[in-house]
Amino acid sequence: MLTTILRRSARLSVGVLAAGLLVGLASPAVAATTATPTATPTATPTATPTAAATLLPAGPHDNRKERARDRKALALINQERAKAGCAPLTKVEKLQTAAREQSDAQAGRDRMGHDGANGSTANDRLSGMGYHQWGENVAQYGSADAAVNAWMNSAPHRANILNCAFTETGLDSEKSKTNGQIYWTQTFGG
């Protein structure tokens, strides 16, 4: 069954990926995709969750300001997950690389969306990584607080963030060199 969810407003547009096909369109603000959407998280945590963010070592692409922005966003997301009884997400290199490449693609063309610079889709980028389910949230906001707030106030994005079956993540923000906008991507795997 293919489900389409599309909501538009001045600041928010949502596209949901179902059965491997992007069925919604995104406009500058926020968009979410998930391969197996669920209404509510079903996993039960086995340990007391904390809001600590797991960080990867700095790479040549990172700068201090971007890393601080990304750390803050992940800390906010893990706080929301803790409130819902989910374990914190752990950053892993393969999802981090996918998030970084997608944020770069968005910043490079000054347009938010799930389509990659080479025409790839979220399904192309994430489905072959060995996860049972995966998701991607994208946004265009000037701060971690604004991006996470928008995601948490959008049902599909919130579902990705609060899906306790997701245990690994990549999260990256990139600033456009032409218009100064900050483009966000968070990838999920579980």
Side-chain angles (χ1 to χ4, degrees), residues 91-190:
K91 272 191 175 183
V92 296
E93 189 59 41
K94 63 186 174 180
L95 288 172
Q96 184 63 27
T97 298
R100 184 181 312 111
E101 289 173 357
Q102 186 57 20
S103 290
D104 277 343
Q106 293 175 97
R109 65 178 179 248
D110 293 323
R111 183 176 57 82
M112 189 200 74
H114 289 285
D115 53 319
N118 63 356
S120 65
T121 65
N123 187 52
D124 296 332
R125 292 186 300 276
L126 302 173
S127 65
M129 291 188 178
Y131 294 106
H132 295 294
Q133 59 180 333
W134 53 264
E136 178 181 80
N137 287 354
V138 300
Q140 178 188 354
Y141 283 97
S143 71
D145 291 304
V148 173
N149 184 55
W151 283 335
M152 290 306 294
N153 284 298
S154 165
H157 302 93
R158 183 180 180 89
N160 276 347
I161 290 169
L162 300 182
N163 184 340
C164 293
F166 289 147
T167 58
E168 297 180 338
T169 194
L171 194 148
D172 186 73
S173 61
E174 297 296 330
K175 191 172 189 177
S176 167
K177 289 178 179 39
T178 58
N179 69 12
Q181 295 291 324
I182 299 173
Y183 295 88
W184 298 84
T185 304
Q186 185 172 18
T187 53
F188 303 87

Side-chain angles (χ1 to χ4, degrees), residues 1-118:
M1 183 173 142
L2 190 63
T3 306
T4 303
I5 299 173
L6 181 62
R7 184 181 343 160
R8 292 185 184 271
S9 71
R11 296 284 301 159
L12 187 63
S13 179
V14 176
V16 170
L17 186 73
L21 300 172
L22 185 63
V23 294
L25 301 175
S27 64
V30 178
T33 62
T34 183
T36 52
T38 56
T40 56
T42 56
T44 307
T46 56
T48 304
T50 66
T54 302
L55 301 176
L56 294 173
H61 185 270
D62 295 324
N63 71 45
R64 192 181 302 235
K65 192 169 188 176
E66 286 176 356
R67 289 181 40 110
R69 199 168 49 218
D70 300 345
R71 279 193 309 268
K72 182 172 184 179
L74 186 55
L76 292 169
I77 286 164
N78 280 334
Q79 288 171 7
E80 294 295 337
R81 288 176 59 85
K83 290 178 201 173
C86 298
L89 292 166
T90 302
K91 272 191 175 183
V92 296
E93 189 59 41
K94 63 186 174 180
L95 288 172
Q96 184 63 27
T97 298
R100 184 181 312 111
E101 289 173 357
Q102 186 57 20
S103 290
D104 277 343
Q106 293 175 97
R109 65 178 179 248
D110 293 323
R111 183 176 57 82
M112 189 200 74
H114 289 285
D115 53 319
N118 63 356

